């Protein structure tokens, strides 16, 4: 049953090749004809804060102006939160505090801004963490609470532990690969809850991670990330095309059945119905 509601999950620093080799549950959904899988090429610089803004507004850094992780200010663009809210839909997020700084309040006050519920802000219901090692398991528990208690039309979820272990141990480490396995296990519990409630689900990443334990450059390891889509509006198949990260925001708009912003690129994603 389609309800025009979307859960967007951005697994920080999840490389495309590691997602394909270590996310057994997600691959099961692909092989079972439930999910579509694409390879996305992120914008550059392949850094977190600029790419959060790119994913959520559909605009590149040259347009949105968030060019580094040190740029701390509210977005000047129409984000998916703004667009959903102006269309009468409810918004929510369980995410890193930089997301709050982009769309709700900047700079983030750790004593006041961690829990933001029933606000008139673009993210109406937000649970924000501010330490990179904050457990992904806790974050998905909070997302489940938002799903059940607030019933948002658009829910954004952003776990950080893959990125944290990548920086500590590099992408060429058992710790990084095992953390990807752990996120996959969390998704195997959480995604069925989303589907039971009629949500379409997108799982992707902002950027990748290198064997040096960093990201920001122009290599495939820095830039190539997965895109899994669970929706009746997208054909369940494996696509060989390399997809622009700019297409994620208009894809969410298509699934929510709201108008994209004028700054977004046209949606040309293979398999969209």
């Amino acid at each position: 049953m389609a309800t025009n509601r979307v859960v967007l999950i951005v697994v920080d620093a999840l490389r495309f090749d590691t997602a394909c080799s270590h996310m057994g549950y997600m691959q099961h959904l692909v092989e079972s004809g439930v999910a579509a899988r694409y390879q996305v090429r992120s914008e550059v610089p392949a850094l977190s804060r600029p790419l959060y803004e790119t994913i959520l507004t559909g605009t590149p850094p040259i347009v949105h102006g968030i060019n580094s992780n040190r740029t701390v200010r509210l977005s000047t663009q129409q984000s998916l939160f703004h667009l959903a809210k102006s269309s009468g839909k409810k918004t929510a997020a369980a995410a890193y505090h930089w997301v709050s700084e982009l769309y709700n309040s900047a700079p983030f006050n750790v004593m006041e801004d961690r829990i933001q519920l029933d606000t008139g802000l673009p993210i109406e219901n937000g649970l924000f963490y501010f330490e990179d090692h904050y457990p992904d398991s806790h974050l998905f528990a909070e997302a489940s609470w938002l799903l059940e208690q607030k019933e948002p039309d658009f829910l954004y979820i952003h776990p950080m532990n893959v990125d944290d272990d990548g920086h500590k141990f590099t992408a060429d480490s058992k710790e990084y690969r095992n953390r990807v396995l752990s996120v996959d296990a969390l998704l195997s519990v959480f995604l069925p809850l989303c589907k039971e409630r009629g949500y379409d689900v997108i799982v992707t990443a902002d950027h990748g991670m290198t064997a040096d334990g960093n990201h920001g450059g122009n290599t495939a390891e820095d830039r190539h990330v997965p895109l899994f889509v669970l929706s009746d509006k997208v054909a369940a198949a494996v696509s060989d095309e390399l997809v622009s990260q700019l297409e994620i925001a208009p894809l969410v708009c298509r699934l929510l059945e709201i108008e994209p912003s004028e700054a977004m690129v046209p949606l040309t994603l293979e398999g969209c119905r």
Side-chain angles (χ1 to χ4, degrees):
M1 178 181 65
T3 58
N4 306 324
R5 299 196 294 179
V6 175
V7 174
L8 172 60
I9 302 170
V10 175
V11 181
D12 207 290
L14 175 61
R15 280 170 46 153
F16 175 76
D17 56 354
T18 312
C20 291
S21 62
H22 282 68
M23 298 189 88
Y25 174 70
M26 297 306 300
Q27 181 60 27
H28 170 65
L29 296 180
V30 172
E31 293 183 4
S32 299
V34 174
R37 193 189 77 198
Y38 303 87
Q39 183 172 186
V40 167
R41 185 171 184 254
S42 81
E43 291 294 301
V44 282
L47 297 170
S48 294
R49 198 188 295 255
L51 298 185
Y52 302 163
E53 175 78 333
T54 288
I55 290 170
L56 286 162
T57 69
T59 58
I62 196 69
V63 172
H64 61 59
I66 307 294
N67 296 315
S68 80
N69 288 338
R70 298 181 181 182
T71 309
V72 181
R73 63 163 171 79
L74 288 171
S75 171
T76 61
Q77 304 298 306
Q78 286 292 299
S79 74
L80 292 169
F81 298 112
H82 292 89
L83 296 170
K85 194 168 184 295
S86 65
S87 298
K89 294 181 178 291
K90 291 191 284 186
T91 63
Y96 196 56
H97 69 287
W98 289 359
V99 176
S100 174
E101 288 182 324
L102 282 168
Y103 308 112
N104 275 14
S105 179
F108 186 84
N109 185 322
V110 298
M111 303 304 291
E112 298 177 3
D113 295 338
R114 166 146 166 69
I115 300 173
Q116 302 175 42
L117 300 176
D118 303 310
T119 73
L121 298 169
I123 305 174
E124 294 170 288
N125 293 285
L127 300 175
F128 300 102
Y129 62 97
F130 46 87
E131 293 180 335
D132 293 11
H133 60 273
Y134 185 76
D136 289 350
S137 57
H138 291 42
L139 184 73
F140 276 99
E142 291 166 351
S144 298
W145 184 89
L146 287 169
L147 205 67
E148 181 177 347
Q149 297 298 320
K150 299 301 180 180
E151 297 183 333
D153 299 291
F154 175 55
L155 172 60
Y156 177 80
I157 306 170
H158 172 229
M160 182 66 79
N161 291 169
V162 171
D163 181 79
D164 190 42
D165 279 354
H167 285 304
K168 290 174 178 174
F169 305 106
T170 83
D172 188 20
S173 69
K174 65 179 182 181
E175 289 84 1
Y176 178 82
R177 292 186 289 270
N178 285 340
R179 185 62 66 181
V180 174
L181 288 170
S182 177
V183 171
D184 186 63
L186 290 170
L187 291 172
S188 74
V189 175
F190 183 73
L191 264 55
L193 300 178
C194 298
K195 298 307 291 182
E196 287 172 8
R197 289 167 171 77
Y199 284 87
D200 289 334
V201 180
I202 296 171
V203 180
T204 188
D206 48 351
H207 53 71
M209 182 66 65
T210 70
D212 295 331
N214 217 329
H215 53 84
N218 190 34
T219 69
E221 290 76 14
D222 286 282
R223 300 184 69 180
H224 289 197
V225 300
L227 172 63
F228 298 96
V229 185
L230 288 73
S231 171
D232 292 340
K233 300 171 186 174
V234 178
V238 175
S239 174
D240 293 327
E241 70 170 316
L242 189 59
V243 177
S244 167
Q245 197 170 45
L246 300 177
E247 293 225 37
I248 294 174
L251 171 62
V252 173
C253 290
R254 172 74 62 86
L255 300 184
L256 286 172
E257 296 192 0
I258 62 175
E259 287 296 317
S261 74
E262 293 184 1
M264 291 180 186
V265 300
L267 181 63
T268 61
L269 192 69
E270 180 183 322
C272 281
R273 295 167 174 150

